[in-house]
Amino acid sequence: MSPDGRQLATATMDGVTRVWDVATGRLVRGFGERMVAFSDDWKTVATWRNGEPVRRMALSSAAEYPPIPGDTGDYRVRFGPDGRTLAVVGEKRIRIWPSGRTISVNATGIAFSPDGRTLAVTGEDRRIRIWELSSGQQLGAPFTGHTATIQSIAFSSDGRTLLSRGSDAAMMWRVSTFRQLDRLEGTGFDTLAISPDGHTLAAADAERVRLWDLRTRRPIRDLPAGAGAMLFTADGRRLVLNTGEGVVLWDGRTLSEPLAGTSGISGLAASPDGRWLATSHGDQRVRLWDLRTLGPAGVIETAHGVEKPQVDDPDGTLIVPPVTGIDSVAFSPDGRTLATTGNDGEAALWDLTTRRRLGRPLTDGHSDLDMAAFSPDGKVLATVAADPTKSPSELVQLWDAATGSPHGAPFAGDGSAIQAIAFSPDGATLATVGSGGAIRLWDVATHRAVGEPLMGHGREVYDVAFAPDGKTLATTGRDGLVRLWDVALPSDPLPAVCAVAGDSFIRREWQRHLPREPYESICP
C-alpha cells in the first residue's frame, strides 16, 4: 500500500506485479518482471530480472530512465529515503545510483539511514558495517557480536540507533560510538501482557521478561526469568509467569519461589478480582491457587465430552473419570465461571462455586480446541479449532456463554494457524494473529474483517494484546520485535476516508450515481 493509501500493489505467482487505484479499483500499471521495488513516496519504481539490467521508471507515467549499466546477475534493489538514490546489491559489491559509486563488499542485507547519507551493510561474516555514501568509505569499526546469520537490520527513525536481528539474538547499536547498547538472546518474544492501567508492557521469551513503559516507549527492566505464558493480576501489582520450573510471581521487587506442582502446565488464568489463579495440566486437572497466600485452593478434574456421575469429596475436589488433556483455561469477567478447552475438540464451562460443569460440553466437531477467551461482558466465548478442510488453517468459533449455543459459523480461516486471540476492551472487535504473519481484526457481531490485515513482522506472529483503552494493539513475532499499532477510530472519520478514497465525485460522476441529489463536494 502506498503511504497516502491511494494505491495498492499485488504480486502473482507468475512474477507479475500490478498497481491498482484503491478508490476506483482500476489497474494503474503492470510489471511483467520477476522483482519490483518502490521508492518511499511511490513516485518511482525499479524493476529487474536475472540476466537483465535494472530499470527505473516513473510510476504515474510512461517515463523511463536509462537502464543502470553493469552486471546482469541476480540483484537485490533498495531505494534511499530521497526516492532518487538506488542501491543495487549484487555479488561482492553494492552499486549506488545516480552517483555510480561502488562499495566492494559481499552483502547479505542493507539499510539506508533516515538522512540517506550512510548505508548499513551485513555480511556473511556476521558483522555490520557503516558506509558513507558520498565517499564510499567505511566509518568506524564493524559491529561484532552476532554468532549466527543476521536476518534483518534497520535504523531508528532518528538515525542514532541501529537494530539488528539474527537467529541468535536481537541487538541495539549506538551508531555514533559503534558500540552495542543492548542484546536480547533467543529467537523472539513469545508472549505479551499489558498491565490493567495500560502503563506497562511485558514481553517474554524463554530466557527473560522485558518490561516497557508504554507512555515513554522505553524499557524499564529485565526480569531474570523466561516465561512461556504470563499475565498481570487485576490490581496490576503482580506479574504471574509460567517459567520452565513452575509458576512464579513478580511483585515489583522480587520473584517468588515456583508454586509446588505447577511445572509443565498447559494453561494459566487469574480471576478478575485478583484472588484466584487457575492452572491446567496434562492430567485433566485444573488446580486453583489462592493468590493471597500462594497456597492451593482445590482441584477440578474434567472429562470433556463424557457424561459421568459427579461426586464431591469432603475436600471439595470434583471427581470425574479423566479422558483427555486440557489445553487452556479462562475466567469469565465476573469470576464465577471457568472455561476449559481440551484436545478432544470440546470446551466446557465450570461453576467455580459448586465445581460442577454448566450444561453440556461445547463442540463444533473439530479435532482440537487449543484456546479460549471470554468477551469483556462475559456473554461470548471465543474458541479456536483446526479447520478440517484446510490444514494448517484454524478457525474461530463464537459461543453464547449462557446457553452454550454457537454464534454463527466459524470464521477467520486464512490458511494459517492461529497463535493467539484477544477481545478489544469494548468487546466489539476480536484480534487474531497467526503463523502467516498477518494481524487481523474481526467485527464480533458480523464475523467480518475490519480493514486490511496489519503486516509488519514479516513472519510468524506469536501473541497479541489490547491496551485497556482499546486504542493500541501490541504484537510480537518471530522477528524478535514488539510492535505497537494504533487501532483507534479517528474522531473525525471524514479525513481518514477521503485519504483512502481520494477526491470527491466530479459533477458528471455525481449525476450518474446520485441523479436526484444536489451536488456536494465531500472530500477537499
Side-chain angles (χ1 to χ4, degrees):
M1 181 73 74
S2 62
D4 61 9
R6 297 187 177 186
Q7 293 179 320
L8 175 70
T10 62
T12 57
M13 294 297 292
D14 58 2
V16 177
T17 299
R18 296 178 174 89
V19 180
W20 307 85
D21 186 298
V22 174
T24 65
R26 294 178 179 175
L27 179 67
V28 176
R29 195 159 188 173
F31 305 96
E33 304 286 344
R34 187 175 64 84
M35 298 294 288
V36 176
F38 294 91
S39 62
D40 289 350
D41 58 11
W42 274 50
K43 292 182 179 179
T44 310
V45 63
T47 65
W48 70 99
R49 69 169 70 189
N50 193 18
E52 294 183 5
V54 178
R55 298 180 180 274
R56 294 170 296 148
M57 60 192 71
L59 184 60
S60 60
S61 69
E64 183 170 335
Y65 305 101
I68 295 178
D71 297 335
T72 57
D74 189 9
Y75 298 119
R76 281 163 293 145
V77 178
R78 298 290 186 272
F79 275 95
D82 60 4
R84 300 189 306 273
T85 304
L86 202 65
V88 181
V89 183
E91 185 178 1
K92 297 183 179 180
R93 69 176 183 174
I94 302 172
R95 290 176 292 137
I96 308 297
W97 294 95
S99 69
R101 188 171 301 281
T102 297
I103 298 174
S104 297
V105 60
N106 192 11
T108 59
I110 64 171
F112 280 94
S113 63
D115 61 10
R117 297 180 179 179
T118 58
L119 191 71
V121 180
T122 63
E124 293 180 349
D125 60 359
R126 300 183 293 276
R127 297 185 176 190
I128 304 170
R129 294 173 172 85
I130 305 294
W131 298 84
E132 185 179 54
L133 293 183
S134 61
S135 65
Q137 298 297 314
Q138 180 180 327
L139 300 177
F143 297 135
T144 61
H146 280 287
T147 58
T149 301
I150 300 173
Q151 299 162 339
S152 63
I153 54 172
F155 281 92
S156 61
S157 58
D158 59 9
R160 297 178 180 179
T161 306
L162 187 71
L163 311 175
S164 62
R165 177 67 198 165
S167 55
D168 58 336
M171 298 189 187
M172 296 175 61
W173 312 85
R174 178 65 70 194
V175 174
S176 60
T177 61
F178 302 94
R179 293 181 180 274
Q180 184 183 126
L181 291 175
D182 200 1
R183 175 188 178 98
L184 182 65
E185 302 287 347
T187 58
F189 294 112
D190 299 319
T191 186
L192 296 172
I194 296 178
S195 62
D197 62 9
H199 294 169
T200 306
L201 171 71
D205 65 5
E207 301 295 332
R208 71 178 73 180
V209 176
R210 174 153 295 181
L211 303 177
W212 277 274
D213 188 321
L214 282 178
R215 295 163 295 182
T216 64
R217 301 295 198 266
R218 294 181 181 276
I220 301 172
R221 67 177 62 188
D222 286 352
L223 305 184
M230 62 183 172
L231 53 87
F232 282 95
T233 55
D235 58 11
R237 296 180 180 178
R238 289 187 288 186
L239 182 65
V240 183
L241 310 173
N242 175 20
T243 70
E245 298 179 356
V247 174
V248 300
L249 285 79
W250 166 259
D251 62 5
R253 299 180 304 275
T254 59
L255 287 168
S256 72
E257 292 297 318
L259 301 183
T262 59
S263 61
I265 67 173
S266 57
L268 180 69
S271 63
D273 62 6
R275 181 175 180 182
W276 308 109
L277 185 72
T279 60
S280 60
H281 303 256
D283 58 0
Q284 297 85 34
R285 294 178 178 179
V286 176
R287 290 179 172 84
L288 299 177
W289 307 85
D290 189 322
L291 285 174
R292 297 171 300 182
T293 65
L294 300 187
V299 177
I300 298 176
E301 296 203 31
T302 69
H304 290 277
V306 176
E307 294 293 337
K308 295 288 184 179
Q310 300 179 356
V311 179
D312 285 321
D313 273 358
D315 65 355
T317 300
L318 181 68
I319 303 298
V320 181
V323 296
T324 186
I326 304 170
D327 288 325
S328 69
V329 289
F331 280 94
S332 63
D334 62 9
R336 298 177 180 177
T337 306
L338 188 74
T340 61
T341 63
N343 55 25
D344 59 351
E346 294 181 347
L349 300 176
W350 303 87
D351 186 312
L352 285 172
T353 301
T354 65
R355 309 282 177 87
R356 295 181 181 274
R357 192 179 64 209
L358 297 172
R360 298 180 63 84
L362 312 180
T363 179
D364 57 8
H366 296 305
S367 60
D368 189 11
L369 295 180
D370 55 12
M371 67 186 73
F374 278 97
S375 62
D377 61 7
K379 295 180 179 180
V380 178
L381 180 72
T383 61
V384 173
D387 182 351
T389 66
K390 189 195 301 183
S391 178
S393 179
E394 290 186 308
L395 302 170
V396 173
Q397 175 68 63
L398 301 182
W399 307 84
D400 186 313
T403 66
S405 302
H407 268 312
F411 63 96
D414 63 355
S416 67
I418 296 174
Q419 303 288 69
I421 58 176
F423 278 98
S424 61
D426 62 4
T429 306
L430 183 75
T432 63
V433 299
S435 58
I439 302 140
R440 298 177 185 272
L441 302 178
W442 304 89
D443 186 298
V444 172
T446 65
H447 300 184
R448 294 181 179 177
V450 178
E452 293 296 318
L454 305 176
M455 305 295 293
H457 288 283
R459 307 176 74 179
E460 190 172 12
V461 186
Y462 292 149
D463 203 3
V464 59
F466 277 95
D469 61 6
K471 296 180 179 180
T472 302
L473 190 73
T475 58
T476 187
R478 191 176 177 184
D479 59 0
L481 301 176
V482 174
R483 297 184 183 272
L484 301 178
W485 307 85
D486 184 355
V487 293
L489 291 174
S491 56
D492 183 0
L494 183 59
V497 172
C498 288
V500 176
D503 298 333
S504 297
F505 282 152
I506 61 176
R507 292 183 181 274
R508 183 174 63 256
E509 293 172 324
W510 187 281
Q511 286 295 319
R512 183 168 69 251
H513 297 289
L514 302 167
R516 297 182 181 181
E517 299 292 330
Y519 176 76
E520 181 179 359
S521 179
I522 299 175
C523 294

